[in-house]
Amino acid sequence: GGSSGIGAATALELARCGARVILATRSARRGEAGPWCPAWDETGNNEVLFMHLDLASLRSVRAFASTFLRQEPQLHLLINNAGVSAGGTTEDGFSLPFQVNHLGHFLLTQLLLERLRSCAPSRVVIVASSAHCAGRLRPESLGRPPSGLFSAFQDYCDSKLANVLHARELATREQGTQVTCYAVHPGFVNTSLFRHAPLWLKPLLLPLAWLLFLDASEGAQVVL
């Protein structure tokens, strides 16, 4: 999720610090030449690569992990940042927000976990949200879109609760391995996430976001 929003601002700062950065993003065009390109050039860091990853496809997640493990011997920091709030169903049969926000990241983390262990000390940072407080996970319908007028918002909240539970359980299981795990709430940040808001809500939400919410670089500080 490094092509826009919090992910792009985070990747940019890591590049400024001299890190080798792998931008895992669905869009090759945005990944290779994002809107922050002029600032990117100023870092002088040539160790920045784009690799295709579509979290809405578990097949794509497995392909990315296979390519990464073959090409990259080191992994010290995995930031699970990508997120959507739109409805819909993925090719794997799950709701789009739940798979992109949680299931795709969960599988990716599991596939890369042994590399994180071998490169320890290392860490996993999951960009969650305080919206997890409104989440409700039901095992019998996990990953299926909830019903109701605000189903898309509930789906988003459910995925964020899954993020937090993932971070807590992973942190517990990795005790003693020097792999640490964190779930962070970046604050209310004005990102492209709001493009998925219902049409009737946008006239209310977008002005509020521009006036009161943090910008992407401010939201990235929590992740960093």
Side-chain angles (χ1 to χ4, degrees):
S3 63
S4 64
I6 296 172
T10 302
L12 181 59
E13 190 59 34
L14 290 172
R16 284 183 177 139
C17 293
R20 179 175 174 84
V21 180
I22 308 298
L23 291 173
T25 182
R26 183 171 56 88
S27 169
R29 180 182 61 82
R30 292 170 63 190
E32 294 172 341
W36 30 268
C37 198
W40 192 267
D41 290 339
E42 291 173 9
T43 69
N45 188 339
N46 296 320
E47 293 290 297
V48 180
L49 303 176
F50 160 77
M51 288 178 63
H52 179 263
L53 172 62
D54 183 0
L55 291 162
S57 166
L58 299 182
R59 178 170 43 86
S60 175
V61 174
R62 293 183 184 278
F64 169 87
S66 177
T67 301
F68 179 90
L69 292 172
R70 187 172 62 251
Q71 296 181 358
E72 298 292 327
Q74 300 291 321
L75 178 60
H76 300 98
L77 173 60
L78 173 63
I79 300 176
N80 291 327
N81 163 81
V84 298
S85 60
T89 304
T90 69
E91 64 182 46
D92 301 292
F94 299 105
S95 82
L96 183 65
F98 197 80
Q99 179 164 333
V100 171
N101 300 354
H102 170 63
L103 289 176
H105 287 138
F106 178 89
L107 176 60
L108 179 64
T109 302
Q110 289 300 117
L111 294 173
L112 299 181
L113 192 54
E114 192 54 45
R115 181 60 51 85
L116 284 161
R117 288 170 180 160
S118 69
C119 296
S122 56
R123 63 181 60 190
V124 178
V125 178
I126 299 173
V127 180
S129 168
S130 61
H132 81 270
C133 295
R136 297 193 301 270
L137 297 180
R138 301 176 179 85
E140 70 278 4
S141 59
L142 197 64
R144 295 202 295 271
S147 58
L149 181 61
F150 298 102
S151 59
F153 178 70
Q154 185 63 56
D155 207 5
Y156 178 80
C157 294
D158 293 351
S159 73
K160 294 292 117 177
L161 176 57
N163 285 161
V164 172
L165 294 175
H166 178 203
R168 287 175 62 97
E169 182 64 20
L170 185 62
T172 299
R173 294 190 181 206
E174 293 305 305
Q175 286 182 359
T177 66
Q178 290 192 294
V179 177
T180 52
C181 186
Y182 308 87
V184 300
H185 170 54
F188 295 99
V189 184
N190 185 15
T191 70
S192 57
L193 189 70
F194 294 111
R195 72 180 183 273
H196 302 302
L199 290 176
W200 62 269
L201 186 58
K202 283 186 177 182
L204 299 173
L205 184 59
L206 294 182
L208 185 68
W210 281 109
L211 288 171
L212 301 178
F213 286 17
L214 303 173
D215 62 31
S217 62
E218 292 172 316
Q221 294 306 307
V222 179
V223 182
L224 292 161

